[in-house]
Amino acid sequence: MLLPALELTKVSKDFGRIIALRNIDLTIQSGEFVSILGRNGAGKTTLLNIISGVSKPSSGLVELYGGDPADTENKSKLAVISHEVFLYNNLTATENLEYYASIYGVKDAEQRIKDVLQSVELMHRRFDLVGTFSRGMTQRLTIARALLHEPSLLLLDEPFTGLDQLAIGILISLLRKQKELGRTILLTTHDLHTAKELSQRYLILEKHRILHDGLMADTNPDEIRQKYFSSDRSGE
Amino acid sequence: MRAALSILKKDLRMEFRSKDSILSMWIFSLLIFVIFNFTFEVSRLVMLEIAPGLLWVAFIFSGMFGLNHAFAVEKENGNLRSMALMPVDGGQVYLGKFMSVTLIMLLFESLIFPIFIIFYDLQLSFQMFLLIPVILAGTIGFTSLGTILSAVAVHTRDQQILLSLLLWPLVSPIIIWSVNLTGMVIGGDITQGFYPLLTRVIAFDVIFFAVSFMLFEFILED
Ligand SMILES: Nc1ncnc2c1ncn2[C@@H]1O[C@H](COP(=O)(O)OP(=O)(O)O)[C@@H](O)[C@H]1O
Ligand SMILES: [Mg+2]
């Protein structure tokens, strides 16, 4: 039998007295595109941090491809996009990507760097320092950075927040392509329409638990909003 | 080793791009020597007693400056977290940062040292070459500890204060011994105690490095 991409068993996480996650059981198969929805403070970011291994669960078990998230082999399959762009302002776009390519052991790096730069429409600025980039350009570059090593598991934490229209369009089309390539994708977002457009499955996180786990096809965004976020004004 | 070298290359690239930091450090050291040279009217003999301490004050300031700079860039865009995500052992990350911080501090020192020689009108004797292992050993002791403690400090808010609080008690024996060793060389007074003391500094270097190399993995985690 094929191993699931991701399996969480009774995962809990607390920060001192603050509970972030309670007894999460979750299995995600390779190639699934899952949207994680929930109010601010519901535990979405914590969940992604635990999956990526940067944060250890207080109890419970996390397995990526049947192993520990901290295993080097698993880490090389993973990419994260969040509000932290993971780029050096004092390096050019190309130099940043060269650095990541060498760390991740990307083959044929020069060509690959060109490809990802083209895919985020930054070829013309490749020799400029990231510090001189606009916010939107920096965010496009971080998408390129994340896709550079062709990760099989993508974790995206509110990737659309603060993006300009161009960057949103680019990210959506790149995510579609990643989905076609069979990559496993987890996305937290407040944008229910985009979530519906992209993902097959959705989870609703509420009060540190998975309140609902369902298929996007069976529902529509307005229904979700009504049912779960009707009193949530930050969920726009 | 590949990852450590990638980190080193990236750091050196950034450091040489912002040459102003190197220049301002150099001017700062110059200032230390000028102030001490012209404010205190002391005999040459007394001056030679103080000189090794001043030299290390300048070295340590440049080292602190370099450490803060090296870890500020890791903090700016969440890059330290990115390092935790990389398919690379924590030890490799440590080694990369250690090498870059050490090389940059040695570069600072090689710029500071000539001014020192001129200000204190020191004779360049063959024995002066003994300063090379002394400075190397003292510097490596400082950077091996400084690298891991900077990473710890980056996780906290008042990073610079915390860094000094953690760093000084641990690193001060090494600095004191390095000052003593430097004094022996400059004073032309290589006593029997010189080599055992130098060996002791090197032994501390090895311990600090090895422990930090092994512990760095845990620093990168939350
Ligand atoms: N490092 C931390 N220290 C203390 N509390 C935290 C930390 N990270 C998250 N929390 C708390 O855990 C809960 C879940 O946070 P988070 O996962 O960021 O939610 P979301 O991403 O869904 O908005 C919140 O109550 C938050 O305040
Ligand atoms: Mg969040």
Side-chain angles (χ1 to χ4, degrees), chain A residues 84 87-88 90 95 100 102, chain B residues 6 17 74 77 81-82:
Chain A
E84 293 181 310
L87 296 168
Y88 295 91
N90 219 357
E95 288 168 350
Y100 278 100
S102 70
Chain B
S6 306
R17 188 159 282 153
E74 299 304 345
N77 289 325
R81 195 188 306 281
S82 166

Side-chain angles (χ1 to χ4, degrees), chain A residues 52 54 56 72 75-76 78 80 84-91 95 98-100 102-105 129, chain B residues 2-3 6-7 10 13-14 17-18 73-74 76-79 81-88 221-222:
Chain A
S52 70
V54 296
K56 295 268 172 280
T72 307
K75 283 177 160 181
S76 63
L78 181 87
V80 173
E84 293 181 310
V85 294
F86 301 160
L87 296 168
Y88 295 91
N89 294 339
N90 219 357
L91 293 180
E95 288 168 350
E98 280 170 2
Y99 167 63
Y100 278 100
S102 70
I103 291 279
Y104 280 85
L129 295 183
Chain B
R2 189 196 69 212
S6 306
I7 291 170
K10 167 213 56 134
R13 232 175 195 170
M14 285 195 286
R17 188 159 282 153
S18 57
V73 298
E74 299 304 345
E76 65 187 5
N77 289 325
N79 292 323
R81 195 188 306 281
S82 166
M83 289 179 151
L85 287 166
M86 288 171 178
V88 163
E221 285 173 7
D222 257 343

Side-chain angles (χ1 to χ4, degrees), chain B residues 106-118:
Chain B
L106 288 172
L107 173 72
F108 278 150
E109 290 170 344
S110 64
L111 294 174
I112 291 167
F113 193 69
I115 323 177
F116 177 74
I117 296 278
I118 294 165

Side-chain angles (χ1 to χ4, degrees), chain B residues 57-108:
Chain B
V57 167
F59 284 178
I60 295 308
F61 267 109
S62 74
M64 292 296 282
F65 191 86
L67 275 174
N68 280 328
H69 199 251
F71 281 87
V73 298
E74 299 304 345
K75 201 182 180 177
E76 65 187 5
N77 289 325
N79 292 323
L80 210 63
R81 195 188 306 281
S82 166
M83 289 179 151
L85 287 166
M86 288 171 178
V88 163
D89 289 340
Q92 290 297 308
V93 176
Y94 172 74
L95 183 61
K97 286 310 273 187
F98 164 78
M99 287 191 297
S100 72
V101 166
T102 306
L103 280 178
I104 288 163
M105 185 164 167
L106 288 172
L107 173 72
F108 278 150

Side-chain angles (χ1 to χ4, degrees), chain A residues 15 18-20 38-47 157-158 205:
Chain A
F15 299 97
I18 300 169
I19 296 167
R39 294 165 208 261
N40 286 330
K44 304 181 295 294
T45 298
T46 306
L47 182 62
D157 195 5
E158 297 186 29
L205 228 61

